[in-house]
Amino acid sequence: MVLDYSMMQWVLSIVVGVSLSRFINTLALIGRKKDQVKFDFLLISILFATTTQMIHLWFNSPGYFSNIEGIYIPYMLLFLITLIYATAIESLLPNSSVLETVGTVDLRDVYYQQKDLFYLAQFLIGVIMLSLYIFYPQVEGMAFGLESKMVEIPILFILTIVFPIILIISNNYFLHVFNMMLISLGFLGQILKYATTMT
């Protein structure tokens, strides 16, 4: 099997396209049902952040995949991350049947009903990212970019593996908001890192 990016980019585009289509359709349905929907910051922001992370992975995929062409395990693990991101988004999107009910739909309740599979997906992404970072350092840009592995590995372990497990167990709203803030700061850090390298 020849593992090159020209083959993978079509598959990635289809996966990302299907997820974006579902995300946009759900937002449009929520907008049409705005009188029946009780909005919640957490669900909308976590969906937006996860979708943005998947798009970020997609745009940077040429760089990620180019260094590991022909190496089967990291190649498949990178592709698996994209599939898990799509699953995470799908698991947290409110069902159209829920949004089309007659009564009021509380998006906070929807979040708590569907969060476990989402954070399980986040946990799996964390395990794969940590494995790539340790065993396949040629996959660059997947971590925070700190100079010391002794510092970065514990941070990755806590944020991407321990924290999702805690969020599956706990229903504390403020803990989930704190997680959302960490995700936002992490993504902002990635943007700043790419902005400084471009200048």
Side-chain angles (χ1 to χ4, degrees):
M1 176 188 294
V2 179
L3 297 173
D4 60 6
Y5 183 69
S6 61
M7 173 190 69
M8 183 61 73
Q9 65 180 335
W10 296 104
V11 183
L12 289 175
S13 299
I14 291 168
V15 172
V16 173
V18 169
S19 292
L20 286 178
S21 175
R22 286 276 296 126
F23 176 71
I24 292 167
N25 286 339
T26 302
L27 287 185
L29 184 56
I30 289 173
R32 286 197 299 270
K33 300 279 186 176
K34 61 182 180 295
D35 295 333
Q36 296 173 237
V37 174
K38 185 178 178 183
F39 282 90
D40 182 67
F41 156 80
L42 194 54
L43 178 67
I44 299 299
S45 58
I46 204 94
L47 276 172
F48 179 76
T50 308
T51 305
T52 307
Q53 285 173 343
M54 185 175 68
I55 294 169
H56 176 75
L57 178 68
W58 180 46
F59 277 125
N60 288 285
S61 59
Y64 294 149
F65 282 94
S66 63
N67 293 333
I68 53 170
E69 286 188 346
I71 310 174
Y72 184 80
I73 293 176
Y75 211 82
M76 290 301 107
L77 288 177
L78 264 178
F79 177 60
L80 191 58
I81 287 177
T82 309
L83 288 180
I84 296 172
Y85 265 123
T87 305
I89 293 167
E90 186 68 32
S91 69
L92 209 54
L93 285 172
N95 295 326
S96 56
S97 59
V98 171
L99 293 173
E100 289 170 359
T101 55
V102 178
T104 301
V105 177
D106 189 342
L107 293 184
R108 185 180 296 191
D109 292 341
V110 172
Y111 171 79
Y112 280 113
Q113 288 166 9
Q114 301 180 180
K115 73 176 178 66
D116 290 351
L117 182 57
F118 174 81
Y119 286 111
L120 178 60
Q122 294 294 316
F123 167 80
L124 292 174
I125 290 171
V127 170
I128 294 171
M129 283 180 61
L130 197 59
S131 301
L132 287 171
Y133 183 73
I134 295 171
F135 298 111
Y136 299 98
Q138 60 266 47
V139 183
E140 298 177 358
M142 294 296 291
F144 299 114
L146 301 178
E147 294 193 15
S148 172
K149 278 195 172 187
M150 297 300 291
V151 174
E152 188 145 24
I153 288 173
I155 292 173
L156 276 172
F157 181 76
I158 290 169
L159 292 181
T160 62
I161 295 176
V162 175
F163 221 66
I165 293 173
I166 293 171
L167 293 168
I168 289 172
I169 297 168
S170 173
N171 286 333
N172 184 289
Y173 185 74
F174 296 104
L175 184 63
H176 286 261
V177 170
F178 177 68
N179 174 63
M180 182 60 236
M181 292 169 64
L182 286 177
I183 291 171
S184 302
L185 287 173
F187 186 67
L188 182 61
Q190 288 281 352
I191 292 173
L192 290 173
K193 184 176 82 170
Y194 281 106
T196 52
T197 55
M198 297 269 301
T199 55

